[in-house]
Amino acid sequence: MHNPEPPFRVPPQTGGFPTAGFPTAGDLAGGDPAAGDALAGYLHARAGDFLRSLRQHEESGSDTEAAALAARSLRMASRRIAGTLHTFRPRLDPVWADGLRAELSWLSGTLAQEYACTVRLTRLLGALARLSGTTGTASTASTADRADGTAERGQLSMGAARAAALLERQLTLARTRAHSTALQALGSARFHAVADAVAVLASEAPVVPAPGTLPTAAGDAERRLLDAVAALPLGRAGHPYNAEALFSGLAGAPAEEAQDAPWHRVRRLLRLHRYALEVLGPQTDPLLRQAGGLLDRHRDAAEAAYAAAGAARTPRIAPATAYALGVLHADQRHEVEAARFAFQEVWQGSSTVRAAL
Amino acid sequence: MHNPEPPFRVPPQTGGFPTAGFPTAGDLAGGDPAAGDALAGYLHARAGDFLRSLRQHEESGSDTEAAALAARSLRMASRRIAGTLHTFRPRLDPVWADGLRAELSWLSGTLAQEYACTVRLTRLLGALARLSGTTGTASTASTADRADGTAERGQLSMGAARAAALLERQLTLARTRAHSTALQALGSARFHAVADAVAVLASEAPVVPAPGTLPTAAGDAERRLLDAVAALPLGRAGHPYNAEALFSGLAGAPAEEAQDAPWHRVRRLLRLHRYALEVLGPQTDPLLRQAGGLLDRHRDAAEAAYAAAGAARTPRIAPATAYALGVLHADQRHEVEAARFAFQEVWQGSSTVRAAL
């Protein structure tokens, strides 16, 4: 394991995160106690989720499905705590918040890899089946429940079958590696330090009194999201079949990454905004969730397209395999464009709804 | 030259097409003289276009551009006469009309090949430039004025450059062959028999008196069009990014041809309907022309996709070339889907406009 030196160190004087010395929401007198309660309460609850998931993961034993579910919950709790530490940083000790956030981001990033490989393989095998006309519908499977396409491969054209076998080999290897890396991470001293800090957070959240700042901080998160959305080429995305996502599709990954980056940024900011709303109240905006789901689809399709292009660079593959991977790459870039179109529809729709209220 | 025996023979007793014995529009007394005049007048005018184009072609000498323009006019006149003979068959001698129509279809089909190769090559090289990010916009060049992509090829990725070179080689060869075939056709006895028949048609059209049948025949053509449009999956085409055109895109040409066929059929029936309207009056429906243009684009993109897939089956090509051809194939199938979407928009729009009148 070659994890970099953690940028976040446990202060030696407390033997843990410097939370004990901070006032918690319960200590706050006057100011904005309800808001302080909301933030501390949210952090307590997510820290509880984190610890519960960790226990479930430890108890899963040889039940790989239970282990995967527990890892997923652990990842979701980590992301929510990290996002909250980021958005509500003004109400927290900034050094402590930044340090724990970086560690939680490392953890959720590490845990995400295995799941991402499964999703990518399922998506690519589903697309190859569709492109070969061996599935009933033209829609792409987006669930990750079945990544084993061996049975279907028999009905694919030779190029498609070889492409499927190549992708299955490469992504299964990547998934196995990601699984080992995740297990190593969960057994590391670095992880145990994070888990200790979250254990403290489950009962004591170091929220500092700063009246009225909770909605302000959430508002700042929303503004960052709106600014990032304003920078998107939504007008262009609103014209179906604009061929934008495949523009320079043969010019290599950097060209595609450059056009995808603003969308990925909005995806992250939308998630932070959603988490901030969760802190402020239990109500969730279904349009926001839908918009986030479309940006997830955008990201998944972009990564699948990238994987197809990468597989095509494998030495000594047959031209028929390369051809199928080219079709697959373009198909997934088309999905990227479709996700942008759908996001734009939902976003403009939600703006219209809000303006009418 | 291996043209099949013409299915349409010049009757020996007249030394030409049996038009002299037929009453012309001018001979018609009573019944529907104005309508008869309209049909005869239209046939006279198009036959005149035919003869003028033929003379221009003969006089073009070494001016290849003038020759190409003249061949295009000749083709357009041939198609219009053939279409009119088909639609208004009840007002004409059916054996004569069917015979001349078959010969004119052979002629326009033969003349179309060279132009189609030029259009296809321009479209494919334009798409490769766009896919390589070497053109300013993401829109596909649809004009055929420049098919030489040599200068641009320098900026393409290796796979794209090789694919462009391969397609240029294959389509230039096909174009040269089509050019020879067209020249041979224009010098053949079969063509001279057609030209003689059209020369007679320029002054005498064998329109038989049948009161009121002109609008009826045009109405039948419109009904065939409407029935064919009703059989199209317009609901599906109206959902952007339905991925239908690439469904079974790796299953080989027959699967794609099967889903394209109903659209090609509508394209032909729409053209017949437009020609029938030309006979009835000078007014043209811009929406009909636009819809026809979109179905031309549908056909062009489908044939370009087919050419890309065919080039990928060339023995001993590099995987990078095959990959680029796969991306290109998928890109052109997206154009097919985009054309269906746009056709559906125009069609539903025109229906709404008509219903509101």
Side-chain angles (χ1 to χ4, degrees), chain B residues 193-207:
Chain B
V194 180
D196 287 348
V198 175
V200 173
L201 199 59
S203 54
E204 296 177 63
V207 177

PDB file of all heavy atoms in Angstrom, chain B residues 193-207:
ATOM      1  N   ALA B 193     -32.951   5.782 -77.355  1.00  0.00           N
ATOM      2  CA  ALA B 193     -34.386   5.478 -77.467  1.00  0.00           C
ATOM      3  C   ALA B 193     -35.175   6.313 -76.445  1.00  0.00           C
ATOM      4  O   ALA B 193     -36.243   6.863 -76.760  1.00  0.00           O
ATOM      5  CB  ALA B 193     -34.618   3.988 -77.247  1.00  0.00           C
ATOM      6  N   VAL B 194     -34.631   6.452 -75.211  1.00  0.00           N
ATOM      7  CA  VAL B 194     -35.294   7.265 -74.190  1.00  0.00           C
ATOM      8  C   VAL B 194     -35.358   8.722 -74.645  1.00  0.00           C
ATOM      9  O   VAL B 194     -36.412   9.373 -74.582  1.00  0.00           O
ATOM     10  CB  VAL B 194     -34.554   7.179 -72.829  1.00  0.00           C
ATOM     11  CG1 VAL B 194     -35.262   8.037 -71.794  1.00  0.00           C
ATOM     12  CG2 VAL B 194     -34.459   5.743 -72.348  1.00  0.00           C
ATOM     13  N   ALA B 195     -34.219   9.218 -75.142  1.00  0.00           N
ATOM     14  CA  ALA B 195     -34.153  10.617 -75.572  1.00  0.00           C
ATOM     15  C   ALA B 195     -35.141  10.890 -76.699  1.00  0.00           C
ATOM     16  O   ALA B 195     -35.793  11.943 -76.728  1.00  0.00           O
ATOM     17  CB  ALA B 195     -32.725  10.964 -75.994  1.00  0.00           C
ATOM     18  N   ASP B 196     -35.266   9.927 -77.637  1.00  0.00           N
ATOM     19  CA  ASP B 196     -36.239  10.082 -78.728  1.00  0.00           C
ATOM     20  C   ASP B 196     -37.650  10.196 -78.173  1.00  0.00           C
ATOM     21  O   ASP B 196     -38.429  11.051 -78.594  1.00  0.00           O
ATOM     22  CB  ASP B 196     -36.159   8.876 -79.680  1.00  0.00           C
ATOM     23  CG  ASP B 196     -34.896   8.920 -80.541  1.00  0.00           C
ATOM     24  OD1 ASP B 196     -34.231   9.984 -80.559  1.00  0.00           O
ATOM     25  OD2 ASP B 196     -34.576   7.894 -81.182  1.00  0.00           O
ATOM     26  N   ALA B 197     -37.964   9.330 -77.231  1.00  0.00           N
ATOM     27  CA  ALA B 197     -39.303   9.341 -76.638  1.00  0.00           C
ATOM     28  C   ALA B 197     -39.566  10.661 -75.928  1.00  0.00           C
ATOM     29  O   ALA B 197     -40.666  11.234 -76.028  1.00  0.00           O
ATOM     30  CB  ALA B 197     -39.442   8.181 -75.657  1.00  0.00           C
ATOM     31  N   VAL B 198     -38.565  11.164 -75.203  1.00  0.00           N
ATOM     32  CA  VAL B 198     -38.735  12.434 -74.488  1.00  0.00           C
ATOM     33  C   VAL B 198     -38.871  13.584 -75.488  1.00  0.00           C
ATOM     34  O   VAL B 198     -39.637  14.524 -75.263  1.00  0.00           O
ATOM     35  CB  VAL B 198     -37.564  12.670 -73.505  1.00  0.00           C
ATOM     36  CG1 VAL B 198     -37.672  14.044 -72.853  1.00  0.00           C
ATOM     37  CG2 VAL B 198     -37.556  11.589 -72.425  1.00  0.00           C
ATOM     38  N   ALA B 199     -38.164  13.476 -76.624  1.00  0.00           N
ATOM     39  CA  ALA B 199     -38.271  14.511 -77.662  1.00  0.00           C
ATOM     40  C   ALA B 199     -39.707  14.606 -78.181  1.00  0.00           C
ATOM     41  O   ALA B 199     -40.241  15.704 -78.391  1.00  0.00           O
ATOM     42  CB  ALA B 199     -37.297  14.222 -78.799  1.00  0.00           C
ATOM     43  N   VAL B 200     -40.344  13.457 -78.349  1.00  0.00           N
ATOM     44  CA  VAL B 200     -41.749  13.455 -78.774  1.00  0.00           C
ATOM     45  C   VAL B 200     -42.613  14.088 -77.677  1.00  0.00           C
ATOM     46  O   VAL B 200     -43.487  14.923 -77.940  1.00  0.00           O
ATOM     47  CB  VAL B 200     -42.221  12.005 -79.080  1.00  0.00           C
ATOM     48  CG1 VAL B 200     -43.728  11.989 -79.349  1.00  0.00           C
ATOM     49  CG2 VAL B 200     -41.446  11.436 -80.254  1.00  0.00           C
ATOM     50  N   LEU B 201     -42.321  13.703 -76.422  1.00  0.00           N
ATOM     51  CA  LEU B 201     -43.072  14.192 -75.263  1.00  0.00           C
ATOM     52  C   LEU B 201     -42.987  15.713 -75.125  1.00  0.00           C
ATOM     53  O   LEU B 201     -43.899  16.354 -74.578  1.00  0.00           O
ATOM     54  CB  LEU B 201     -42.494  13.524 -74.003  1.00  0.00           C
ATOM     55  CG  LEU B 201     -43.333  13.493 -72.738  1.00  0.00           C
ATOM     56  CD1 LEU B 201     -44.649  12.773 -72.983  1.00  0.00           C
ATOM     57  CD2 LEU B 201     -42.555  12.798 -71.620  1.00  0.00           C
ATOM     58  N   ALA B 202     -41.917  16.302 -75.639  1.00  0.00           N
ATOM     59  CA  ALA B 202     -41.720  17.752 -75.509  1.00  0.00           C
ATOM     60  C   ALA B 202     -42.785  18.531 -76.277  1.00  0.00           C
ATOM     61  O   ALA B 202     -43.069  19.682 -75.948  1.00  0.00           O
ATOM     62  CB  ALA B 202     -40.330  18.142 -75.991  1.00  0.00           C
ATOM     63  N   SER B 203     -43.378  17.910 -77.294  1.00  0.00           N
ATOM     64  CA  SER B 203     -44.419  18.628 -78.023  1.00  0.00           C
ATOM     65  C   SER B 203     -45.774  17.930 -77.930  1.00  0.00           C
ATOM     66  O   SER B 203     -46.818  18.565 -77.975  1.00  0.00           O
ATOM     67  CB  SER B 203     -44.002  18.788 -79.491  1.00  0.00           C
ATOM     68  OG  SER B 203     -43.692  17.517 -80.039  1.00  0.00           O
ATOM     69  N   GLU B 204     -45.761  16.618 -77.783  1.00  0.00           N
ATOM     70  CA  GLU B 204     -47.012  15.878 -77.732  1.00  0.00           C
ATOM     71  C   GLU B 204     -47.040  14.968 -76.511  1.00  0.00           C
ATOM     72  O   GLU B 204     -46.200  14.074 -76.388  1.00  0.00           O
ATOM     73  CB  GLU B 204     -47.160  14.976 -78.962  1.00  0.00           C
ATOM     74  CG  GLU B 204     -47.251  15.690 -80.286  1.00  0.00           C
ATOM     75  CD  GLU B 204     -47.318  14.666 -81.407  1.00  0.00           C
ATOM     76  OE1 GLU B 204     -48.295  13.886 -81.442  1.00  0.00           O
ATOM     77  OE2 GLU B 204     -46.385  14.625 -82.221  1.00  0.00           O
ATOM     78  N   ALA B 205     -47.984  15.186 -75.615  1.00  0.00           N
ATOM     79  CA  ALA B 205     -48.121  14.298 -74.462  1.00  0.00           C
ATOM     80  C   ALA B 205     -49.391  13.468 -74.630  1.00  0.00           C
ATOM     81  O   ALA B 205     -50.471  14.030 -74.836  1.00  0.00           O
ATOM     82  CB  ALA B 205     -48.177  15.100 -73.178  1.00  0.00           C
ATOM     83  N   PRO B 206     -49.276  12.152 -74.572  1.00  0.00           N
ATOM     84  CA  PRO B 206     -50.423  11.275 -74.833  1.00  0.00           C
ATOM     85  C   PRO B 206     -51.382  11.198 -73.654  1.00  0.00           C
ATOM     86  O   PRO B 206     -51.543  10.145 -73.044  1.00  0.00           O
ATOM     87  CB  PRO B 206     -49.769   9.935 -75.117  1.00  0.00           C
ATOM     88  CG  PRO B 206     -48.529   9.962 -74.289  1.00  0.00           C
ATOM     89  CD  PRO B 206     -48.076  11.389 -74.214  1.00  0.00           C
ATOM     90  N   VAL B 207     -52.011  12.340 -73.359  1.00  0.00           N
ATOM     91  CA  VAL B 207     -52.944  12.374 -72.232  1.00  0.00           C
ATOM     92  C   VAL B 207     -54.320  11.972 -72.728  1.00  0.00           C
ATOM     93  O   VAL B 207     -54.827  12.540 -73.685  1.00  0.00           O
ATOM     94  CB  VAL B 207     -52.983  13.785 -71.617  1.00  0.00           C
ATOM     95  CG1 VAL B 207     -54.007  13.852 -70.488  1.00  0.00           C
ATOM     96  CG2 VAL B 207     -51.606  14.187 -71.122  1.00  0.00           C
TER      97      VAL B 207
END
